[in-house]
Amino acid sequence: MATFYNVILAFIIELYRAAQATFRRVLTGTKLPKMDELRAEAQKLAAEKKETYREYKVAKKDMQDIVVAKCNIDHLLGLTGGRNNKEMEW
């Protein structure tokens, strides 16, 4: 049982050292950003996301209107394929 514990402990220490080395390599002496800065950036990104989503909804509605108009014109000109043309011939 002690051997299993030692293996797990060695694995955890190895993971810790790898994470520590990665942080040192990535940060290279710079400090982490402050929480207030991160929160402000998150709020800014959330506002930008809201605005972009509004633009997306408008563009999606415009696209749906165009598709409906195209279908209506195709139907009026008899360009719709399949069953509708066969029904119109009878």
Side-chain angles (χ1 to χ4, degrees), residues 60-73:
K60 183 177 177 182
K61 184 174 180 340
D62 290 345
M63 188 237 2
Q64 287 174 339
D65 291 343
I66 290 170
V67 168
V68 168
K70 181 191 176 299
C71 288
N72 289 339
I73 291 171

Side-chain angles (χ1 to χ4, degrees), residues 25-62:
R25 183 174 37 87
V26 170
L27 295 178
T28 59
T30 60
K31 292 184 178 181
L32 293 174
K34 297 187 186 260
M35 286 301 294
D36 293 337
E37 294 171 3
L38 292 175
R39 285 188 185 114
E41 184 178 355
Q43 287 177 348
K44 183 183 117 190
L45 290 173
E48 188 177 319
K49 178 183 171 186
K50 267 183 157 178
E51 181 59 34
T52 304
Y53 188 70
R54 284 187 197 119
E55 293 172 10
Y56 164 76
K57 287 194 324 189
V58 168
K60 183 177 177 182
K61 184 174 180 340
D62 290 345

